[in-house]
Amino acid sequence: MKSRNAILSSLGILAIGMLAHSCTGNAPTEKTSSGRDPHSYTDPDAANFRHLELDLQVSFDSQRISGWTVYHLDEVRGDSLALDNMGLVIQQAVRIDEKDSAQVPFRVSAADPILGSALKIPLTPGTRRVRVHYSTVPGAMALQWVPARQTASGKLPFLFTQSQSIYARSWFPCPDGPGIRFTYRARIQVPPEMMAVMSASNPRQRTSDGIYHFEMELPVPAYLVALAVGDLTFRDIGKRTGVYAPPQWIDASHWEFADLEKMLEASEQLLGPYRWGRYDVLVLPASFPFGGMENPRLTFLSPTVLAGDRSLVSLLAHELAHSWSGNLVTNKTWNDFWLNEGVTTYIESRIMESLYGKEIADMWSILGLQDLEKTIAEKGPESPLTRLKLSLDGLDPEESMSDVAYEKGKALLRFLEERKGRNELDRFLREYFANFEFRSNDSEGFFEFTRKHLLNDDPALTDTVSKWIYSSGPPLVRGNYSTQSFEDIDTAQSQLVAGHSPAEINSANWTTNEWIYFIRRLPKGHDSTDCLLFDQYFNFSQRKNAEVLSTWLEYAILNGCAGHVLVTAEDFLCSVGRRKYLLPIYEALLEGGMGAEAERIYARAKPGYHPIARESIEKVLTRKI
Ligand code: BES
Ligand code: ZN
């Protein structure tokens, strides 16, 4: 199926590959005590994980990764080691002590539908290393095997992993909780015409034999171990920054990300030294289910960020910010996801302000607050899922992924900035990252550290921060943001409502932010005349910018124009895999009474979606039909 969508055809992207779910089973979720990670079987007290070795072969023919992992352990305390495992075929476990190594009997527990199973390996106090020989299954949740016709070149297939939140366990057996860190080395063998890259030290060029060696000598949690294999080329941006992309996209990517080195410098100014050495980015096929993923040293990006006008680079600022909030100081469990995403979203805004000014940064902040309002209205202000500190026992960590973590978390930091002043907050942030570096932290740790090092025990502020973290509902205080551009748009909108023609609106200098704000504020109704008129004046349906086009499609479907945009919507849904864009359009189709169309389009688009995107869309389709 060749994509007809304007955005992607302009980039030469075609649509994507076939997968089934591997995560099955019916045993009840294991009960966990409050401090424990509810999403991992690994007991962090059984031993200290120090280092991981991976030796893997990637076979596109069988759609499997196979080989072995070795864990180097210190201070073995338990008599058995439980590793997380989702659908892996385990062939052999070997226990290695100072002198000997021996195959040992292993057990795989019944699979839980959310968590997968525990791979249990007996230990002795003398165990130093444990080796596991295994293979993945086609359909593994973390992996997308993208067929050649859906890649930039159309010639070679592509493989990428997406381990966050709990899918690392579907491609290597691991202690798959964010509270356990280890260094890693890998030897990866791929077809010789392809390049392999990881969240580690990376090659600049293809090797002739398809064998690649990687090293990450700083400790990371399993969800930050990442691999991509495909037809890739590299180009430097600055001294420490560069971009990997398919040869067909390298020029566009290099241009779009030209400010990367400056962003890195601005981040260091704000947060203290960048600890990871290089910061490169990788442009993936369009089926990547996220905008970006902060894999250390190598952020993975959706090609939808290649807008052609650098208007979506806040995403780069976001992923870069994770080099501190998330990768350096990591949420202890997914209950504290806001510590990764909320702090990052705040820093993203500061990076944007420092490079492009307050006007641009505030525009994104206002749009973010709008998203948050909508999310809280949908979930209900009493919903426990509107709290920052979550309680996800028995639930999929996917539930934590909402604007609440991102925007309510960001709003807390913005509140602290407004109360204490920027200098104080910045000093505090640098102390925070230095104090917790290469460790995990939970909401309680954040609260205590903030109380002591920023709030100086001020009772009123302490109480507000505690409520902000532990209560449901919207942020306690709305940040002070204002932009002239959005005020001008408000004026233009009132003129539209008063009967002025769209032709009178001066939109010549608008960029993505203005267009999103404008579309969100268009008059709502079921009369297609308005909707058609707007499309005629502003050519929304022809936009190449995925952010603008998806906002428009959602509006048009819900406001009397569904028939008019259906072909465009179908093209879009069949060529982009970024979940943030897909879900609102499927939801709008359902809400607009077009459930059958949604089902039909999904059946067509599904082979091209990543397993993670499929799972979410299927939830929406079954919930609403
Ligand atoms: N780490 C997230 C992506 C993620 C979160 C993947 C949870 C799996 C589970 C990443 O940093 C992110 O937030 N991406 C956003 C972009 C950002 C600018 C809001 C996305 O992909 O939309
Ligand atoms: Zn993020």
Side-chain angles (χ1 to χ4, degrees):
M1 166 186 61
K2 196 158 184 158
S3 158
R4 283 168 292 147
N5 180 271
I7 299 173
L8 300 160
S9 57
S10 75
L11 295 167
I13 303 171
L14 311 174
I16 308 129
M18 182 84 171
L19 281 177
H21 295 268
S22 67
C23 158
T24 51
N26 48 23
T29 304
E30 193 181 52
K31 286 272 168 296
T32 48
S33 64
S34 57
R36 248 199 88 175
D37 186 335
H39 298 113
S40 173
Y41 288 104
T42 305
D43 174 3
D45 294 330
N48 291 350
F49 287 82
R50 222 167 32 75
H51 179 70
L52 161 68
E53 286 173 59
L54 287 164
D55 191 313
L56 302 174
Q57 285 85 51
V58 173
S59 163
F60 282 86
D61 293 337
S62 64
Q63 303 208 334
R64 285 176 197 268
I65 296 178
S66 53
W68 48 258
T69 60
V70 175
Y71 284 97
H72 294 231
L73 306 172
D74 273 349
E75 297 178 37
V76 170
R77 289 173 289 261
D79 55 8
S80 137
L81 182 70
L83 294 174
D84 291 303
N85 164 23
M86 192 181 273
L88 300 171
V89 181
I90 309 293
Q91 286 132 4
Q92 213 186 92
V94 177
R95 192 171 62 200
I96 304 163
D97 63 23
E98 295 281 291
K99 296 200 191 73
D100 283 322
S101 74
Q103 264 201 53
V104 285
F106 60 87
R107 284 196 304 123
V108 176
S109 69
D112 173 86
I114 297 171
L115 304 179
S117 57
L119 164 62
K120 292 190 179 148
I121 300 166
L123 295 180
T124 64
T127 307
R128 291 287 165 270
R129 277 175 284 160
V130 168
R131 188 165 75 230
V132 180
H133 296 252
Y134 75 100
S135 153
T136 63
V137 290
M141 278 301 281
L143 306 180
Q144 189 170 19
W145 301 88
V146 185
R149 66 179 183 283
Q150 288 146 352
T151 63
S153 70
K155 295 206 186 85
L156 290 172
F158 200 104
L159 166 70
F160 65 87
T161 65
Q162 170 56 45
S163 300
Q164 196 180 11
S165 305
I166 56 166
Y167 300 131
R169 63 191 71 178
S170 77
W171 71 281
F172 62 102
C174 56
D176 196 8
I180 297 181
R181 311 174 82 90
F182 43 83
T183 56
Y184 77 85
R185 268 172 193 256
R187 177 187 181 274
I188 311 277
Q189 184 165 14
V190 304
E193 62 278 19
M194 299 197 200
M195 195 197 274
V197 288
M198 290 191 83
S199 51
S201 54
N202 272 308
R204 296 293 185 87
Q205 264 156 4
R206 234 168 9 95
T207 60
S208 55
D209 56 3
I211 296 176
Y212 293 87
H213 294 272
F214 300 92
E215 176 155 20
M216 171 46 89
E217 68 284 2
L218 299 166
V220 295
Y223 83 92
L224 293 176
V225 180
L227 168 69
V229 181
D231 184 10
L232 290 171
T233 180
F234 173 80
R235 198 176 292 171
D236 273 312
I237 293 175
K239 273 211 312 279
R240 287 178 292 172
T241 50
V243 54
Y244 290 84
Q248 295 74 8
W249 297 348
I250 193 73
D251 288 339
S253 307
H254 188 258
W255 185 88
E256 200 86 30
F257 307 146
D259 284 342
L260 200 55
E261 188 81 21
K262 276 186 222 144
M263 279 192 179
L264 179 55
E265 284 160 9
S267 314
E268 287 189 307
Q269 279 287 314
L270 184 61
L271 307 167
Y274 177 75
R275 321 293 208 274
W276 304 91
R278 291 197 57 83
Y279 182 74
D280 295 319
V281 297
L282 163 68
V283 184
L284 289 173
S287 60
F288 183 48
F290 297 102
M293 176 65 214
E294 66 272 25
N295 298 313
R297 286 191 185 151
L298 186 66
T299 279
F300 284 19
L301 292 175
S302 159
T304 57
V305 69
L306 302 174
D309 59 3
R310 298 183 182 146
S311 66
L312 296 177
V313 295
S314 57
L315 200 137
L316 289 184
H318 179 96
E319 303 312 334
L320 173 61
H322 274 305
S323 307
W324 285 264
S325 40
N327 299 1
L328 189 62
V329 181
T330 307
N331 52 205
K332 192 170 270 171
T333 72
W334 300 115
N335 288 333
D336 302 296
F337 183 58
W338 77 273
L339 281 182
N340 276 19
E341 296 300 343
V343 178
T344 293
T345 307
Y346 172 76
I347 298 171
E348 165 197 338
S349 189
R350 294 290 305 278
I351 298 174
M352 289 302 286
E353 183 177 330
S354 114
L355 264 85
Y356 308 108
K358 182 167 153 24
E359 177 81 5
I360 297 269
D362 278 12
M363 281 198 265
W364 284 118
S365 296
I366 292 170
L367 293 173
L369 284 175
Q370 289 180 346
D371 291 332
L372 179 61
E373 265 162 38
K374 194 167 164 224
T375 301
I376 291 181
E378 277 164 15
K379 292 189 189 292
E382 307 293 327
S383 162
L385 291 175
T386 64
R387 295 181 193 145
L388 286 182
K389 174 76 184 193
L390 295 169
S391 185
L392 295 170
D393 278 58
L395 295 178
D396 196 317
E398 283 284 309
E399 304 282 350
S400 67
M401 288 190 56
S402 83
D403 296 309
V404 173
Y406 288 77
E407 298 294 339
K408 189 175 174 181
K410 167 181 172 175
L412 171 57
L413 281 124
R414 176 73 180 202
F415 165 76
L416 293 172
E417 177 198 326
E418 285 177 8
R419 283 306 171 89
K420 302 299 294 183
R422 219 169 234 200
N423 286 344
E424 264 297 278
L425 185 77
D426 293 356
R427 176 209 40 86
F428 165 78
L429 284 177
R430 284 189 290 269
E431 269 177 47
Y432 175 76
F433 291 122
N435 187 74
F436 291 100
E437 64 175 0
F438 298 108
R439 289 199 288 148
S440 57
N441 193 17
D442 56 13
S443 302
E444 293 64 42
F446 176 90
F447 175 73
E448 275 308 307
F449 195 81
T450 309
R451 190 172 64 72
K452 281 205 200 100
H453 297 269
L454 183 65
L455 307 179
N456 307 321
D457 285 318
D458 176 304
L461 276 181
T462 305
D463 186 51
T464 307
V465 172
S466 158
K467 287 208 180 85
W468 207 303
I469 295 174
Y470 294 102
S471 316
S472 61
L476 275 75
V477 181
R478 193 191 152 97
N480 254 324
Y481 300 107
S482 69
T483 87
Q484 190 56 47
S485 321
F486 284 3
E487 282 171 28
D488 293 347
I489 293 176
D490 287 338
T491 314
Q493 299 274 10
S494 16
Q495 287 168 350
L496 265 188
V497 173
H500 288 230
S501 156
E504 291 174 40
I505 295 177
N506 180 6
S507 58
N509 294 324
W510 289 4
T511 154
T512 303
N513 323 49
E514 282 95 344
W515 286 115
I516 299 173
Y517 187 81
F518 181 73
I519 297 170
R520 286 184 181 179
R521 293 263 159 143
L522 283 174
K524 308 281 186 294
H526 295 288
D527 177 0
S528 67
T529 342
D530 277 353
C531 179
L532 290 172
L533 186 74
F534 298 141
D535 207 10
Q536 191 189 325
Y537 272 101
F538 301 114
N539 286 320
F540 288 129
S541 299
Q542 267 83 58
R543 295 300 175 109
K544 293 190 186 343
N545 182 313
E547 198 80 35
V548 176
L549 182 59
S550 67
T551 311
W552 165 249
L553 291 172
E554 185 186 355
Y555 169 84
I557 292 165
L558 290 173
N559 291 282
C561 240
H564 170 69
V565 298
L566 198 64
V567 173
T568 311
E570 180 165 349
D571 275 353
F572 185 74
L573 294 172
C574 289
S575 49
V576 179
R578 186 169 170 189
R579 194 168 63 171
K580 173 188 166 197
Y581 298 145
L582 302 178
L583 291 179
I585 299 178
Y586 280 109
E587 277 167 356
L589 286 170
L590 293 169
E591 219 175 299
M594 304 180 77
E597 284 298 299
E599 290 275 10
R600 183 187 62 74
I601 296 173
Y602 178 62
R604 200 185 136 210
K606 180 179 170 178
Y609 292 154
H610 189 284
I612 293 177
R614 287 183 185 187
E615 193 170 77
S616 313
I617 297 165
E618 282 166 21
K619 258 189 216 156
V620 169
L621 292 176
T622 47
R623 180 159 30 98
K624 297 252 176 86
I625 281 178

